[in-house]
Amino acid sequence: MNTVGLRAAIVVGLFSAGQPVIAQVGAAAPTTQTPAAQTPPPPPRPVPPTRDPHTPGYVQAKELPDGEVPPAGAEGNFIIGPTHNPAPDMTVRDGVPQGTIHTLTMNSADSKIYPGIARDAGTFGTVDPADPAKLVVTTSHPAPYTRRVTVYVPKQYVPGTAAPFIVGADGPDQLLFTALDNLIAQKRVPIMIAISIANGSGDAQGSQRGLEYDTMSGRYAEFVETEVLPLVEKQTNVKLTKDPEGRATMGCSSGGSAALSMAWYHPELYHRVLTYSGTYVNQQWPSSAETPHGAWEYHERLIPNSPPKPIRIWMEVGDRDLFNPNLMRDNMHDWVVANENMAKVLAAKGYHYQFVFARNAGHCDRPVKQQTLPAALEWLWKGF
């Protein structure tokens, strides 16, 4: 998200179901005893439909020849696929300087911002009968965690110099490190540090990952700024720039919405954002009166109703991306619609953005990332 003897219980909960299925596990029953009836499991989660990028209401986009990706200097909306072969710069190459990878460890006991929570295994939550857009979770409780922070330092980095950097969610991200080796060597991106932070465990409402990534606030950026970056500088002998133009964030799924939140709530810290399958949907927990629809608020209200912020954003979504993956049916859990809406409002407000709709692609699709990441990074760092 121990075997405990005769009273052990296996609790199986599926996001597509409203209630968990509970089966008791104990000693073998005598042959004369009739076994207790088992509640049948709920049906499997439906496969997301394949969305057509030319659907009425979606943004107008330029369809590229199969195998091509948008140019690094282009802005606006693009359609790629259905073939997703890795870009040449996603391969480790002889003769290209290889960065050094450092692995650090952080414990929840040392965090003032995230002391740790977890949701009981096999549980999810129930929809508030008074509000279909609100999930009630009663099985979340304090819990410790340990996380890894993986730091990439390019061979070209000069110790003591203030370096630009990119912060990534759900680390470690070896694809990112390989791309940076090649792009830095070709001078297509600046000599930068990459900081790939593992989440604090679990997923969605009531979990530590959900609290970190889906909360609509600057809290995660503050955690990174005050607890992660000082540790990185101390233990890897690097100096990180304070210039927001030299700071980027990235992530997929809820890690993508977290990447945007870091820049949205703290534009004095970050100006560049890269997201795959961004979770711009209603997944925040605990609920907030200021943003009751979670990250759906970005395209519903926040971006349209706010002055443009100095944020440059690259986004991707797949034609088979997530659609109502849990028991909430609030019309705010379609990842494709959410990202399409993001492209609309970003364009209307005059943001610098590039939006890629990928055919033949699922959620956080690895082949799509391997195909697009080098060009996406080059686009992201334009103007630096």
Side-chain angles (χ1 to χ4, degrees), residues 230-253:
L231 182 70
V232 168
E233 289 187 317
K234 180 179 179 181
Q235 295 199 13
T236 66
N237 192 33
V238 298
K239 184 177 180 181
L240 303 171
T241 184
K242 300 294 185 181
D243 179 4
E245 279 292 300
R247 291 165 156 234
T249 63
M250 71 174 289
C252 82
S253 195

Side-chain angles (χ1 to χ4, degrees), residues 17-30:
Q19 300 296 332
V21 179
I22 303 177
Q24 297 296 327
V25 178

Side-chain angles (χ1 to χ4, degrees), residues 18-199:
Q19 300 296 332
V21 179
I22 303 177
Q24 297 296 327
V25 178
T31 56
T32 57
Q33 181 176 338
T34 302
Q38 300 293 311
T39 303
R45 181 189 305 173
V47 175
T50 300
R51 269 61 66 87
D52 181 350
H54 300 299
T55 296
Y58 286 12
V59 295
Q60 291 188 351
K62 180 179 180 180
E63 186 138 18
L64 301 179
D66 190 18
E68 290 191 12
V69 297
E75 297 194 0
N77 313 312
F78 299 88
I79 302 166
I80 67 168
T83 306
H84 305 291
N85 293 321
D89 294 305
M90 297 307 297
T91 301
V92 176
R93 297 177 176 176
D94 293 337
V96 172
Q98 306 294 305
T100 301
I101 308 298
H102 304 265
T103 300
L104 318 180
T105 300
M106 300 184 71
N107 295 310
S108 55
D110 299 323
S111 177
K112 295 180 179 179
I113 295 179
Y114 291 128
I117 64 168
R119 189 180 66 244
D120 287 344
T123 68
F124 185 53
T126 58
V127 178
D128 186 337
D131 184 358
K134 183 178 180 181
L135 191 72
V136 178
V137 181
T138 61
T139 57
S140 182
H141 50 80
Y145 64 81
T146 300
R147 80 171 85 231
R148 287 187 297 168
V149 178
T150 309
V151 183
Y152 163 91
V153 181
K155 189 77 169 180
Q156 299 90 334
Y157 173 68
V158 178
T161 60
F165 64 92
I166 185 167
V167 175
D170 291 319
D173 190 347
Q174 186 57 52
L175 295 180
L176 173 63
F177 305 154
T178 299
L180 288 179
D181 276 339
N182 291 312
L183 296 177
I184 290 172
Q186 298 168 42
K187 300 183 179 180
R188 290 166 57 191
V189 300
I191 298 170
M192 75 177 79
I193 310 298
I195 302 161
S196 195
I197 306 171
N199 65 70

Side-chain angles (χ1 to χ4, degrees), residues 207-258:
S207 72
Q208 181 62 39
R209 182 179 186 268
L211 183 65
E212 293 170 10
Y213 292 174
D214 295 318
T215 298
M216 294 290 288
S217 75
R219 193 179 186 194
Y220 184 69
E222 293 152 16
F223 163 72
V224 173
E225 192 71 18
T226 62
E227 298 189 9
V228 179
L229 300 187
L231 182 70
V232 168
E233 289 187 317
K234 180 179 179 181
Q235 295 199 13
T236 66
N237 192 33
V238 298
K239 184 177 180 181
L240 303 171
T241 184
K242 300 294 185 181
D243 179 4
E245 279 292 300
R247 291 165 156 234
T249 63
M250 71 174 289
C252 82
S253 195
S254 290
S257 54

